[in-house]
Amino acid sequence: MQPLTRVEGRAIPLGLKNVDTDIIIPAKWLKTISREGLGAGAFEALRAEPGNVFDDPAYKGAPILIAGDNYGCGSSREHAAWAMLDLGIRVVIAPSFSDIHSGNAVKNGILPVVLPQEAVDRLLEVAREGLEISVDLDQQTVTTPYQDRFTFDIDPFRKHCLLNGLDEVGLTMARGEAIGGFEAQRTAAQPWLMRGTEAA
Amino acid sequence: MGRTPTPETMDPNMASRPRTLYEKIWDAHVVETRDDGTALIYIDRHLVHEVTSPQAFEALKVAGRPVRRPELTLAVPDHNLPTTARLDSAGKPVPIADPESAAQLAALEVNAPAFGIRYIPATAKEQGIVHVVGPEQGFSLPGTTIVCGDSHTACHGGLGALAFGIGTSEVEHVLATQTLLLQQSKPMEVRVEGDLGPGVSAKDLILHIIGTIGAAGGSGYVIEYRGRAFEAMTLEERLTVCNMSIEAGARAGLIAPDDVTFAYLKGRPMAPKGAEWDAAVAYWRTLHTDEGAVFAKSVTINAADVEPSVTWGTSPEDVVPIGGRVPHPEDFADESKRVAAQKSLDYMGLVPGTPMTQVPIENVFIGSCTNSRIEDLRAAAAILKGRRKADNVRWAIVVPGSGLVKAMAEEEGLDRIFTEAGFEWREPGCSACLGMNPDKVPPGERCASTSNRNFVGRQGPGARTHLVSPAMAAAAAVTGRLADVRELV
């Protein structure tokens, strides 16, 4: 995963609420066994509309996406994060995110920034003018050329992983002994919990 | 029967504070907590299907990592599998026509045994939708943590399990470590007082709940469903309710296990047996919210207010009673919802003010992890018996949730009721719930669907979905429009 510290650039002013992961990447694109190339199917239904923000040359290659409430709701498909990454999106700003999708985003080096609706509305205005927005993860700020400055909260573990491009699996593999201890206790006290498919 | 010692009951401080059911299950699975508050949570059961696992297995291969506890994972294909006959007349497997789908299904068939994981093949009678198979096999158990690379994993909460969907990176994490790094959610209570009226199902209730609290109403929470309406439900009805918790934005939904749960699980192939069964039940009886435990959010709904429900838009929060009308965008207080409502109406091809019962239907889908169990099929068949689908209903299919459900339905003669009513009787799988396999709703056409999502393009590009219960789907098939099932019984 690519570390993320600071992202500067234009922002795609989507603004829509309840953008579900079926909208981000429809199911027919999920037949792949790879993580690559999903940008081609990203936001397919929205991109079929004439004059859509994704194909507007003003926002071509923009690394920031601004959306409405409940971004990434619905299906747990991580393909949504892979598709966004393939489009070059590294930051999504919205008033709220679905729990699963925001986790998937972070694990792929995409920063979900939660800001109040008024701040999001202001950033949408700035983005529509084609101006650059700056997101600083270390400082936890979003700033504009108009001197707007919004601060955001982020879970410290997520911040740590994003700043350093850390692989969670590697981190947890190092805790193998603690996991083994937990399993031994379980096996002694509640052996049926540990049988799984072997119970049949 | 004594209380089985577990990590949380051995710690007197943790046991003395009144806790919600969610907090009890969470506490029992904390391996360790990081300084920043993130917890390493042990995962008891992991379900794997073909769509969200190939990249996880690939990553393990690349890193040379084994699966830590293969016996705690169960693999079964469902999403991408065609629901037409799986064996030809000579008893040979029918090849999958779409090469990409075939490759993805083949990857699971190879990956699961290569990593020592139990795999249920497409042709086995135990095959089905992961969320139907887990409870049916007794693999999913009360008080366990259950995950799957599928958001409808919330379903298993109907057994009193903490069950939630995960992404593919987390699938890899669970395979490699049998744990996940998680932040604790907040406990939320949805209390339903009173009893549901006649002709009102568990599906109608969960649609009503989502319509009330909104598609983000449960965001950041784990919902516990409490009250007599849930206690009176069968286990399958509880699975339907918990299944759609994710449609309210909640990571998971739970109903406390009770005698209904234990009776359902007893004797299932992977459920505990003998003395272990008794010990398990004794433990499960401790799994309820304590008197005085505090919920971070609480919503109360009167069961008498719930009617057979339908969706009109493209978010599962777009719910009206069947006696209602298509809303006007101006009816909504907030600007972004007005914009969204107008977009939904354009997509759905609906005119504000139209009575829902005047909306014609061309397709009917009975199936999905929400509503494909035997009781769902019985409820639909009870309406269809001696009736036929209306002429304007072009396509009507029933897709049982598993081979075992299918066999049971055939034994009861339900398949004949469906086929005589003009329905196609299919093989188990996710089918038309998600527009991935060949079962799709054509562009611009409407579908009365027992599935869980009415998103834009969910059942196929341009498809228009109205979410309903199985009995309401049957009523739509018979009348050729959305209809109040209570007028047909």
Side-chain angles (χ1 to χ4, degrees), chain B residues 368-437:
Chain B
S368 88
C369 56
T370 313
N371 282 129
S372 64
R373 285 166 278 267
I374 191 68
E375 291 173 11
D376 299 315
L377 304 193
R378 285 179 192 145
I383 302 300
L384 292 170
K385 191 168 186 174
R387 293 186 170 117
R388 241 197 103 69
K389 73 177 174 68
D391 291 341
N392 61 305
V393 175
R394 197 187 53 77
W395 192 53
I397 62 168
V398 189
V399 187
S402 74
L404 294 173
V405 170
K406 183 169 185 260
M408 208 185 313
E410 287 171 353
E411 205 167 297
E412 295 177 20
L414 304 184
D415 58 322
R416 291 204 43 202
I417 295 174
F418 285 117
T419 52
E420 283 168 11
F423 276 75
E424 293 175 31
W425 180 245
R426 295 295 192 90
E427 297 296 322
C430 298
S431 184
C433 176
L434 86 162
M436 175 164 201
N437 55 72

Side-chain angles (χ1 to χ4, degrees), chain A residues 120-195:
Chain A
V120 172
D121 288 343
R122 170 65 187 148
L123 292 170
L124 281 167
E125 282 174 21
V126 175
R128 287 190 184 113
E129 291 179 38
L131 297 174
E132 294 204 345
I133 287 171
S134 175
V135 179
D136 189 314
L137 175 56
D138 190 45
Q139 298 298 311
Q140 299 178 210
T141 58
V142 179
T143 51
T144 73
Y146 292 111
Q147 312 305 316
D148 299 289
R149 186 174 183 278
F150 304 105
T151 57
F152 61 89
D153 286 334
I154 183 167
D155 166 60
F157 179 65
R158 284 185 167 185
K159 180 176 177 176
H160 174 67
C161 288
L162 277 167
L163 284 173
N164 299 290
L166 293 179
D167 157 31
E168 279 188 19
V169 179
L171 288 179
T172 304
M173 294 288 286
R175 306 304 303 154
E177 212 169 299
I179 299 168
F182 184 90
E183 286 174 330
Q185 202 176 15
R186 265 307 178 75
T187 307
Q190 295 173 303
W192 48 274
L193 271 176
M194 302 302 288
R195 295 201 202 286

Side-chain angles (χ1 to χ4, degrees), chain A residues 78 155 175 183 193 195, chain B residues 32 42 45 169 183 276:
Chain A
E78 195 161 323
D155 166 60
R175 306 304 303 154
E183 286 174 330
L193 271 176
R195 295 201 202 286
Chain B
E32 58 184 10
Y42 198 75
R45 300 288 184 268
S169 295
Q183 282 286 339
E276 289 192 355

Side-chain angles (χ1 to χ4, degrees), chain B residues 168-180:
Chain B
T168 298
S169 295
E170 290 174 309
V171 170
E172 179 194 344
H173 197 280
V174 174
L175 289 171
T177 70
Q178 206 55 44
T179 63
L180 282 173

Side-chain angles (χ1 to χ4, degrees), chain B residues 209-256:
Chain B
I209 290 170
I210 298 160
T212 305
I213 69 177
S219 214
Y221 296 93
V222 164
I223 297 175
E224 183 182 341
Y225 300 97
R226 287 153 59 82
R228 198 165 74 217
F230 303 108
E231 289 163 19
M233 281 183 186
T234 66
L235 197 280
E236 293 191 5
E237 290 172 322
R238 295 176 188 180
L239 295 172
T240 297
V241 167
C242 290
N243 178 281
M244 290 188 72
S245 301
I246 185 71
E247 265 60 67
R251 194 79 195 259
L254 287 162
I255 294 174

Side-chain angles (χ1 to χ4, degrees), chain A residues 16-18 20 22-23 27-28 30-35 45-46 49 70 73-79 82 96-100 104 107-108 155-157 160 167-173 175-176 178-180 182-183 185-187 189-200, chain B residues 4-6 10 28-32 34 36 38 40 42 44-45 51 54-55 65 68-69 71-73 80 98 101 104 118 139 144 149-151 165-170 173 177 179 181 183 215-216 219-220 251 269-270 273 276 280 283-284 317 336 343 434 436 453 455-456 458:
Chain A
L16 209 60
K17 75 178 280 186
N18 286 334
D20 58 68
D22 275 78
I23 285 289
K28 69 169 187 187
L30 271 49
K31 295 177 184 178
T32 178
I33 55 169
S34 138
R35 300 173 194 234
L46 296 178
E49 296 170 10
N70 205 21
C73 61
S75 162
S76 62
R77 58 188 69 169
E78 195 161 323
H79 307 68
W82 301 333
S96 70
F97 289 82
S98 101
D99 294 341
I100 303 179
N104 287 341
K107 287 176 179 64
N108 288 278
D155 166 60
F157 179 65
H160 174 67
D167 157 31
E168 279 188 19
V169 179
L171 288 179
T172 304
M173 294 288 286
R175 306 304 303 154
I179 299 168
F182 184 90
E183 286 174 330
Q185 202 176 15
R186 265 307 178 75
T187 307
Q190 295 173 303
W192 48 274
L193 271 176
M194 302 302 288
R195 295 201 202 286
T197 59
E198 281 177 358
Chain B
T4 309
T6 64
M10 286 184 286
H29 290 84
V30 176
V31 175
E32 58 184 10
R34 291 172 51 93
D36 56 30
T38 304
L40 189 62
Y42 198 75
D44 296 316
R45 300 288 184 268
V51 177
Q55 296 86 351
R65 291 169 176 157
R68 184 178 177 92
R69 300 293 298 225
E71 70 278 21
L72 301 184
T73 294
N80 210 346
D98 178 65
S101 300
Q104 193 175 62
R118 174 83 65 94
F139 182 68
T144 57
D150 187 284
S151 60
I166 56 177
T168 298
S169 295
E170 290 174 309
H173 197 280
T177 70
T179 63
L181 283 158
Q183 282 286 339
S219 214
R251 194 79 195 259
M270 295 176 191
K273 293 169 187 71
E276 289 192 355
Y283 173 57
W284 295 339
E317 70 184 15
S336 68
K343 256 182 118 63
L434 86 162
M436 175 164 201
R453 288 189 175 136
F455 296 160
V456 168
R458 173 77 180 183

